């Protein structure tokens, strides 16, 4: 578990930077405080807005590892990108109450 802490803190720093960069694009305006945008999908990415509490969940952290390997945390779409099926993500997020 201690190995994943730096990854999570790095992701939080990037999210803080992307949310505090002063951008007022329509995509960033519809994200309430305490939530962030995440892009999910293997081919075509779908955008979800989920609670930041999801970042501390061990099962979500398991999804972050392949995302870090494939995309890193500084993705040009402005949010985290998870390379898994939408079904897997929505099932996990609904069980964790992230929506």
């Amino acid at each position: 578990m201690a190995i994943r802490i730096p990854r999570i803190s790095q992701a939080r720093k990037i999210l803080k930077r992307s949310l505090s960069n002063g951008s007022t694009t329509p995509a960033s305006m519809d994200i309430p405080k305490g939530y962030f945008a995440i892009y999910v999908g293997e081919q075509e990415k779908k955008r979800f807005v989920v609670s930041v509490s999801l970042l501390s969940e061990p099962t979500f952290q398991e999804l972050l590892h392949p995302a870090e390997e494939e995309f890193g945390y500084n993705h040009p779409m402005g949010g985290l990108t998870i390379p898994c099926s939408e079904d897997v993500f929505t099932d996990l997020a609904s069980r964790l109450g992230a929506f």
Side-chain angles (χ1 to χ4, degrees), residues 1 7 9-11 15 17 21 23 25-26 28 41 47 51 62 69-70 72 78 81 85 88-89 95 98:
M1 187 68 163
R7 291 183 186 144
S9 63
Q10 181 183 11
L15 283 172
R17 250 187 293 156
N21 69 0
S23 171
T25 62
S28 68
R47 182 177 183 261
S51 172
E62 290 176 23
E69 297 282 322
E70 188 169 334
T81 301
S85 73
V88 169
F89 177 75
R95 283 188 286 130

Side-chain angles (χ1 to χ4, degrees), residues 12-76:
R12 285 183 180 166
K13 286 178 188 175
I14 290 170
L15 283 172
K16 283 180 186 177
R17 250 187 293 156
S18 68
L19 294 175
S20 65
N21 69 0
S23 171
T24 56
T25 62
S28 68
M29 291 176 59
D30 64 346
I31 302 174
K33 187 173 183 171
Y35 289 78
F36 66 99
I38 188 165
Y39 297 88
V40 178
E42 294 167 333
Q43 296 298 320
E44 190 171 319
K45 308 293 185 238
K46 183 173 179 182
R47 182 177 183 261
F48 294 89
V49 177
V50 296
S51 172
V52 295
S53 65
L54 191 63
L55 291 170
S56 64
E57 294 292 335
T59 50
F60 182 74
Q61 291 175 14
E62 290 176 23
L63 288 177
L64 282 179
H65 182 68
E68 178 187 25
E69 297 282 322
E70 188 169 334
F71 300 109
Y73 287 124
N74 194 10
H75 197 267

